[in-house]
Amino acid sequence: MKVGILAIQGDVEAHAKAVERLGAETAWVRREKDLAGIDALILPGGESTTISKGLERVGLYEPLETFARSGKPVLGTCAGALLLAREIENYPVRSLGLLDLVAVRNAYGTQVNSFAAVPDVIEGRPGPLEGLRCVFIRAPQLRRPGPEVEVLARVDGWPVCVRQGNVLATTFHPELTDDTRIHQLLLEKA
Ligand code: GLN
């Protein structure tokens, strides 16, 4: 299995290491042709304005959308999650519209408001991501999820991990801890 990682800007290496620890191959995606032969795709965190400009420059918006609409699994983390949203608020950039929700940039504040937390326990049921250490770095908030959006984890009541069909997103950075549950969720669908 080969997992493509969008390598325009952001936390590319750490995602590659997480995927390789699970025994899959990785490939960097910088051009449309890099998507050939890829079974799953990761859009890493970073700076969505920078990543967006890069996507426009190399003409990757349409190819990424086509890839996702073909049904192959896609994971977006932090800035990557923003890029998947239907709509972005607070300095919006062009998004792919693959997740029916609104992503609000830097909703927890600036870099100094970065933090780690574990998912909420609701009615005694922590869910499949119980105890996962979620690292938030200038994270967005995901608001107004549509009926197709499944919320897999919340922190302080806000969705931090969501899935809509083959598209998975986290507002935290799963590549920064040794817990590979999020990457496993991606690979399971591939
Ligand atoms: N705040 C960044 C943005 O709006 C995302 C931060 C991240 O990916 N860690 O693009």
Side-chain angles (χ1 to χ4, degrees):
M1 184 173 334
K2 200 187 263 185
V3 179
I5 304 176
L6 180 69
I8 288 181
Q9 185 268 337
D11 213 356
V12 180
E13 286 283 349
H15 274 292
K17 288 205 178 98
V19 168
E20 283 159 13
R21 255 189 277 138
L22 292 171
E25 273 180 60
T26 54
W28 289 20
V29 173
R30 287 189 160 138
R31 295 278 183 275
E32 180 172 3
K33 64 175 169 45
D34 301 332
L35 289 167
I38 296 296
D39 304 298
L41 178 69
I42 297 177
L43 311 181
E47 229 292 315
S48 48
T49 302
T50 308
I51 298 172
S52 167
K53 282 182 186 157
L55 290 177
E56 292 282 12
R57 192 176 59 241
V58 297
L60 257 178
Y61 268 101
E62 285 81 9
L64 291 184
E65 199 186 325
T66 305
F67 181 91
R69 296 210 187 275
S70 78
K72 290 185 182 167
V74 176
L75 165 66
T77 65
C78 204
L82 284 163
L83 291 167
L84 291 169
R86 163 168 55 80
E87 193 185 324
I88 299 176
E89 281 179 6
N90 194 18
Y91 299 95
V93 295
R94 177 176 169 191
S95 61
L96 291 156
L98 296 162
L99 278 179
D100 184 14
L101 46 75
V102 179
V104 184
R105 292 181 72 179
N106 302 319
Y108 296 94
T110 59
Q111 190 77 23
V112 290
N113 303 109
S114 296
F115 62 101
V118 295
D120 297 345
V121 176
I122 298 160
E123 290 166 9
R125 293 187 313 158
L129 300 175
E130 175 176 8
L132 181 74
R133 187 167 172 271
C134 304
V135 178
F136 297 90
I137 303 171
R138 302 205 305 133
Q141 256 168 16
L142 306 179
R143 299 184 188 168
R144 308 206 290 279
E148 308 275 279
V149 179
E150 190 188 347
V151 178
L152 302 183
R154 292 177 190 272
V155 166
D156 292 335
W158 292 103
V160 297
C161 179
V162 298
R163 185 163 56 194
Q164 182 174 346
N166 58 312
V167 179
L168 180 68
T170 68
T171 59
F172 55 90
H173 284 263
E175 76 287 6
L176 293 183
T177 62
D178 290 334
D179 195 319
T180 49
R181 272 180 279 176
I182 298 294
H183 293 89
Q184 250 154 8
L185 283 176
L186 178 77
L187 295 186
E188 273 165 21
K189 287 256 180 185

